[in-house]
Amino acid sequence: MAMRGLFPLHPISTAAGAAASDRLLFLPPLPTPDLAESSAGIDVGNRKLLRDLSTFGIGGPCSFFIEATRPAHLISAARLARSRSLPLLILGRGSNCLFSDRGFDGLVVLNRSSIDETVEVVGPGRVRVGSGYPFNRLGVRTAVEGWGGLEFAGGIPGTVGGAAFMNAGANGQETAEVVESVEVVNREGEIRVLGKEDLKFGYRWSSLQEMDDLAGILAVTFRLRPAPAARNRQREFLERRRKTQPISERSAGSVFRNPVSCGVAAGQLIDIAGLKGCVIGGAKVSELHANFIINTGGATAKDVLALIAFVKDKVDRMFGIELKEEIRYVPYSSAQE
């Protein structure tokens, strides 16, 4: 089944696919800039507010900021952070993060690197995508073209790199099911290609999360399957999402992982505990879906953390179940809290 329309009519040949891969893997690094310079995108004068980079709308300023628009920028940022002993944080859409009210004492890189906004077809049903490419857009594009495996992605507001890192999933599908390989850069600025056999995945978890030297993800290759009904399935998923989740509110998505042992979802437990609508400061448990905490306006990380702790304590006391967070809290520094 040939991809058409939004994708090239003919898959890239093996040789061309290898050449495309080489272009990514061996891009020359940008000159390492001085932190007082802005020519490479480092903005020292304007300490970027992390609340502006987060779907939660919460977070203080970062010490240094770069917007990466090419894979070479990510590689250079990793080398720069290493050379200056700076903590490094690479962000996509900021959709699964809660940032400290103090901000982040290090270098934040906003990943807008998506291989020039293209999706490379490297074989039948095989697509290679830049890590900064919007995951929901990829889900729609592949479903429209009749490929299955990423129908669930149409409603997930993250990036391809973040989806692989977190093993994003919904509606009984997970990113891991269709990942073929992941291209990463470490803190030394070195690039590796990790095949499926080199990776491990679990519920909202991947072994990428435990790679101590990981700086960021450059690209992901997916292996999809023909599915003429993919677009219809996706529309059903999206309609269900609109009806059951507060997608128009400021949130970081699902707050807690679903417990694996009791057969009841985290949102159900929170609902049964009578916590829908519970408020601390500007943070509120959604009345539409109890596993979402929304920023009603002016919420702080302190408010959200207090509400998370309150919900966990109430559920634990009522059901003897300790909820585990799915969202990732990013402190100001490793010494904070």
Side-chain angles (χ1 to χ4, degrees), residues 12-318:
I12 297 173
S13 68
T14 302
S21 179
D22 288 347
R23 285 199 300 276
L24 177 65
L25 295 181
F26 301 107
L27 274 170
L30 296 178
T32 300
D34 186 89
L35 288 179
E37 298 177 353
S38 60
S39 59
I42 295 181
D43 189 347
V44 180
N46 176 16
R47 300 178 68 203
K48 194 76 172 181
L49 292 173
L50 294 176
R51 67 171 178 246
D52 296 332
L53 308 178
S54 163
T55 59
F56 230 150
I58 294 172
C62 58
S63 300
F64 305 103
F65 174 75
I66 296 174
E67 183 169 341
T69 57
R70 292 189 290 148
H73 292 161
L74 296 177
I75 297 167
S76 290
R79 291 174 177 167
L80 173 63
R82 178 71 174 182
S83 68
R84 302 305 175 91
S85 299
L86 289 172
L88 175 67
L89 176 63
I90 296 180
L91 290 179
R93 301 282 288 276
S95 59
N96 197 45
C97 300
L98 172 63
F99 300 115
S100 168
D101 296 317
R102 292 181 64 193
F104 182 72
D105 188 22
L107 174 61
V108 171
V109 181
L110 181 63
N111 183 11
R112 290 293 180 260
S113 170
S114 54
I115 311 183
D116 298 325
E117 292 295 318
T118 64
V119 176
E120 296 180 283
V121 180
V122 294
R126 295 174 59 234
V127 291
R128 178 170 167 273
V129 191
S131 59
Y133 196 86
F135 196 48
N136 52 7
R137 187 185 304 172
L138 178 66
V140 171
R141 287 183 63 170
T142 53
V144 165
E145 298 298 333
W147 294 97
L150 288 173
E151 294 95 326
F152 73 97
I156 295 182
T159 59
V160 164
F165 185 81
M166 288 299 297
N167 188 21
N171 303 108
Q173 293 182 314
E174 289 184 329
T175 307
E177 297 169 9
V178 289
V179 167
E180 181 177 283
S181 64
V182 179
E183 297 161 36
V184 301
V185 57
N186 66 17
R187 289 296 300 266
E188 301 289 345
E190 300 167 339
I191 299 95
R192 293 175 60 196
V193 180
L194 304 174
K196 189 68 171 283
E197 67 278 5
D198 302 313
L199 300 164
K200 294 181 180 178
F201 293 95
Y203 175 64
R204 303 300 177 267
W205 176 87
S206 77
S207 53
L208 294 164
Q209 297 175 23
E210 298 182 2
M211 289 179 60
D212 293 334
D213 65 341
L214 178 69
I217 296 171
L218 298 176
V220 181
T221 297
F222 299 95
R223 183 180 291 273
L224 307 176
R225 62 182 184 278
R231 184 56 175 153
N232 288 335
R233 281 190 76 199
Q234 186 174 78
R235 288 193 180 99
E236 292 173 5
F237 293 164
L238 288 171
E239 184 60 25
R240 188 185 311 163
R241 180 181 175 88
R242 291 188 189 100
K243 291 179 178 179
T244 62
Q245 297 181 12
I247 59 176
S248 62
E249 305 282 358
R250 302 216 70 167
S251 80
S254 296
V255 176
F256 300 104
R257 303 168 189 263
N258 289 324
V260 296
S261 58
C262 67
V264 180
Q268 292 176 285
L269 293 171
I270 299 167
D271 188 5
I272 296 169
L275 296 174
K276 274 188 174 180
C278 182
V279 175
I280 293 181
K284 177 181 178 181
V285 177
S286 169
E287 293 177 286
L288 184 60
H289 193 307
N291 199 16
F292 284 70
I293 289 177
I294 59 176
N295 179 357
T296 62
T300 64
K302 184 178 179 181
D303 295 338
V304 175
L305 291 173
L307 188 53
I308 286 174
F310 181 78
V311 169
K312 289 178 68 174
D313 180 66
K314 185 74 176 288
V315 169
D316 190 20
R317 285 189 288 108
M318 286 190 68

